[in-house]
Amino acid sequence: MYWDDLAYFVCLVEKQTLTACAEAMNVQHSTVARRIEHLEQTLSINLFDRLGKRYVLTIEGERLYHQALEVKKEMVTFQRMAIDQNALQGKVVVSAPPVWANEVLMPALADFRQRFPDIVLALSGDVSMSNLHQREADIAIRTRRPTQEDLVVRTLGSSTYRFYAHDKYLKDTESEQWQLIEFQANARVLAWSQAFMQQQDYTIAFSTNDLYMACHAARQKIGFALLPDFLARQHTELVAVDPINRSTLTDLEIHSSAVNYLTTELLQPEQLDTHSPIPLAQSYPLYLVMHPDVRRSARVRAVADWLIDCSHRLSGFA
């Protein structure tokens, strides 16, 4: 039996069709069919039922699939260990939220290249949890703690959001006419803004699932928006506001709201309702996540240390 046959088997289970599996494996669909047929003949087991173009696991195939996943993980581990663990060269794949990657990592990229000229940093802007077991990424930066117990997790810091508006919008618009710019992509921020809307009876001027668009809308004087501090503070025209009392916040009030919030338990979406007090600032943790095998690599450890340095240079993240 060829070990590669198991990889085709696992891929076909996940993709369900020869065409999709072939695209994922970068081969012809006939190659996939041939490898699956070879595996079935070798094992003397019918692994799939063919339903049109779809391949559905048989009962026997279902039992072997879970074992094949474990074998694949072991093969990935073997490949990692075969690489020179002490070389500060080669590729390191980092998956991170797009705005955080653009605003935090990209400005520091030249410094990284100077310090580690032989390490190729492959940065993927992604908000979903990359599969670290199958090496879709070596390191993942995430705003939610992963549930897999075998992963190495380190808390980098916190990301503080608050309400911001253009200073001219505040001067030219009566406070009774203020409107909210809604950010939909982050479930916790969305729950916060929706609870705020229900309590304060504001209307929505603009809605987007892109944090950059929400920031640009605020800069275009469309309304006020919930933005991470590190992004809003890049634009001096954006001012922190208290939309509950319809006023701007002083530096002391900004500091006080952040400190007061950080000393309380993190509010989850289900805790924010029409009866809950609406905070003016909320902070969310940021995690660095690795598979335990890759942290033995010198180049991965170097990149992880650099990511930690980058996060410490800022008072907030996204």
Side-chain angles (χ1 to χ4, degrees):
M1 182 179 71
Y2 298 114
W3 291 111
D4 283 353
D5 287 349
L6 291 180
Y8 284 91
F9 171 52
V10 171
C11 184
L12 185 56
V13 173
E14 296 171 349
K15 300 300 182 181
Q16 296 192 340
T17 68
L18 293 177
T19 301
C21 180
E23 291 178 355
M25 301 292 288
N26 196 27
V27 296
Q28 298 294 323
H29 75 275
S30 58
T31 300
V32 179
R34 186 173 63 255
R35 299 301 288 267
I36 296 301
E37 182 180 359
H38 179 266
L39 182 60
E40 289 182 324
Q41 290 176 351
T42 301
L43 298 175
S44 299
I45 290 177
N46 182 27
L47 298 172
F48 294 97
D49 287 325
R50 281 69 168 175
L51 301 179
K53 294 183 178 180
R54 293 179 60 242
Y55 278 61
V56 180
L57 281 173
T58 61
I59 295 176
E60 295 81 7
E62 181 73 33
R63 292 170 181 166
L64 291 177
Y65 170 64
H66 298 290
Q67 187 62 38
L69 284 176
E70 295 302 318
V71 174
K72 184 177 179 180
K73 290 180 183 179
E74 292 298 324
M75 291 302 296
V76 171
T77 300
F78 180 83
Q79 291 173 339
R80 287 171 175 160
M81 294 178 66
I83 299 172
D84 182 4
Q85 299 295 311
N86 296 317
L88 286 174
Q89 60 183 12
K91 181 186 290 187
V92 177
V93 181
V94 177
S95 174
V99 176
W100 192 87
N102 275 285
E103 301 297 333
V104 178
L105 300 186
M106 294 308 293
L109 187 58
D111 172 67
F112 175 85
R113 292 292 304 147
Q114 187 173 25
R115 291 169 57 187
F116 308 107
D118 296 322
I119 297 178
V120 177
L121 183 65
L123 183 59
S124 172
D126 189 10
V127 295
S128 62
M129 177 56 74
S130 297
N131 193 327
L132 299 177
H133 292 108
Q134 298 186 23
R135 208 175 181 184
E136 293 178 5
D138 297 302
I139 302 172
I141 306 297
R142 290 296 173 262
T143 56
R144 290 186 179 275
R145 189 180 184 90
T147 57
Q148 298 94 325
E149 295 181 357
D150 60 337
L151 296 177
V152 178
V153 181
R154 171 167 179 167
T155 303
L156 290 181
S158 60
S159 167
T160 301
Y161 282 70
R162 70 183 81 243
F163 298 93
Y164 283 92
H166 195 293
D167 56 357
K168 288 188 178 179
Y169 176 81
L170 301 175
K171 294 176 182 177
D172 298 340
T173 308
E174 295 291 336
S175 61
E176 292 78 10
Q177 302 300 318
W178 288 6
Q179 292 182 298
L180 176 68
I181 297 167
E182 184 181 58
F183 174 53
Q184 297 180 332
N186 186 312
R188 291 175 293 191
V189 174
L190 179 60
W192 179 14
S193 64
Q194 288 178 338
F196 169 80
M197 289 282 293
Q198 291 175 355
Q199 283 196 19
Q200 299 299 317
D201 196 30
Y202 275 97
T203 58
I204 295 175
F206 177 70
S207 183
T208 178
N209 65 352
D210 186 286
L211 199 54
Y212 277 123
M213 290 186 185
C215 182
H216 289 321
R219 295 180 64 202
Q220 291 296 319
K221 301 181 283 293
I222 301 300
F224 64 92
L226 279 166
L227 300 173
D229 284 346
F230 87 93
L231 179 60
R233 289 173 183 173
Q234 307 241 3
H235 309 286
T236 57
E237 70 273 21
L238 294 181
V239 178
V241 297
D242 172 359
I244 297 176
N245 296 304
R246 299 179 185 266
S247 62
T248 59
L249 294 175
T250 65
D251 290 341
L252 181 60
E253 289 171 329
I254 292 172
H255 176 73
S256 175
S257 65
V259 171
N260 288 342
Y261 176 73
L262 288 171
T263 57
T264 63
E265 184 179 356
L266 182 67
L267 295 179
Q268 300 300 323
E270 60 271 15
Q271 295 174 281
L272 287 168
D273 54 37
T274 56
H275 305 293
S276 302
I278 301 298
L280 294 180
Q282 286 209 79
S283 296
Y284 307 115
L286 186 75
Y287 302 102
L288 184 149
V289 188
M290 291 188 293
H291 191 280
D293 291 337
V294 303
R295 68 173 176 174
R296 288 192 282 266
S297 167
R299 66 176 181 273
V300 173
R301 290 199 308 270
V303 173
D305 289 341
W306 175 71
L307 292 169
I308 293 169
D309 289 342
C310 289
S311 66
H312 287 170
R313 292 172 190 165
L314 294 172
S315 58
F317 318 122

